[in-house]
Amino acid sequence: MNKIIGGCAFGAVLLSPLATAQAQTFAGGANIGTPGVGVQVSAQANEMLVIRGAVDGLSFGRNETYSDVRYEGDAKLLTGGLFADLHPGGGAFLLSGGAYFGKRKLELVGRPTGNVEIGDVTYTPAQVGQLNGEAKLSKVQPFLGVGYDNTFTGDRSWGFRALVGVAFSKKPDVELTASGGTLSTNAAFLAELAEEEAEVREDAKDFRYFPVVQLGITRRF
């Protein structure tokens, strides 16, 4: 019986560091940055590679002027992401690649208070009414970045991470409609509105490069 107890105790001593090592290859964290406020989980494949998943969301007001029309905007961001973080030499410095999945869009409302040019024609506020628009980025946005993450370096339980990079989208998908105006359903006006939509799409093309700046804390478990 003593041999059995002694053997179990010896086995527990051997397995305890292994269990601790295994536990420390996983971590959770919280982030804040341009993608929004979010959480992440990460797993260390080896000393140079960490696989990371994240969910981020944010909503905020952003006014824009497109083709001389002032719009009140409401930006809505809700994305998930899957990334591979490469740590050269096993240190805290990292190179990150992966993709975001989900929604990044800007809802627009324009209420002209003076004569405005829609397409190639000038209209009064009464003729235009309200302009409603939506600019959406791609549902899948590849990402490249660099950063610092000491989650799996050293023996500490808590870590810090910082990330800077760019998510890439196709040219934003833009839709523009009008309502409440005397010409809202007029065929000639709608043709000019379609031209205006194309101009807004061209003005919004720079949004296909979405800057990612993010700070976070992590904890191993």
Side-chain angles (χ1 to χ4, degrees):
M1 176 66 71
N2 289 337
K3 289 184 178 180
I4 294 175
I5 294 174
C8 290
F10 179 69
V13 169
L14 290 178
L15 290 175
S16 180
L18 178 60
T20 301
Q22 288 177 337
Q24 290 182 340
T25 61
F26 295 92
N31 313 305
I32 186 169
T34 54
V37 178
V39 295
Q40 71 164 38
V41 293
S42 54
Q44 186 183 41
N46 54 56
E47 67 175 9
M48 294 181 62
L49 179 63
V50 173
I51 305 300
R52 180 169 53 88
V55 177
D56 301 279
L58 184 65
S59 179
F60 60 93
R62 175 171 180 150
N63 296 335
E64 296 287 345
T65 298
Y66 294 120
S67 189
D68 297 326
V69 177
R70 182 71 171 173
Y71 292 92
E72 295 177 359
D74 184 15
K76 297 182 179 180
L77 315 176
L78 181 60
T79 56
L82 184 61
F83 313 93
D85 296 340
L86 180 65
H87 294 254
F93 172 77
L94 65 89
L95 302 172
S96 184
Y100 287 96
F101 308 89
K103 176 179 68 177
R104 284 182 176 146
K105 69 177 183 178
L106 181 63
E107 296 178 348
L108 303 166
V109 176
R111 301 180 181 90
T113 57
N115 292 351
V116 293
E117 186 175 310
I118 304 295
D120 295 319
V121 180
T122 299
Y123 297 95
T124 67
Q127 291 172 322
V128 174
Q130 177 174 293
L131 296 174
N132 305 288
E134 185 178 80
K136 296 186 296 184
L137 298 182
S138 303
K139 291 183 178 180
V140 178
Q141 301 166 35
F143 169 80
L144 291 174
V146 298
Y148 175 94
D149 188 342
N150 63 5
T151 300
F152 296 108
T153 62
D155 298 325
R156 69 185 69 81
S157 296
W158 290 91
F160 169 79
R161 61 185 302 273
L163 189 65
V164 177
V166 179
F168 302 90
S169 171
K170 296 179 182 177
K171 185 182 294 187
D173 181 20
V174 175
E175 295 181 1
L176 192 61
T177 61
S179 61
T182 59
L183 296 179
S184 293
T185 59
N186 178 271
F189 173 76
L190 293 177
E192 296 299 328
L193 188 63
E195 185 175 327
E196 180 75 10
E197 181 182 283
E199 292 178 8
V200 172
R201 186 178 297 110
E202 183 65 21
D203 287 347
K205 67 181 181 181
D206 288 343
F207 286 112
R208 66 184 186 272
Y209 304 113
F210 186 88
V212 174
V213 179
Q214 195 173 59
L215 298 175
I217 57 172
T218 59
R219 192 181 193 285
R220 290 193 289 187
F221 57 88

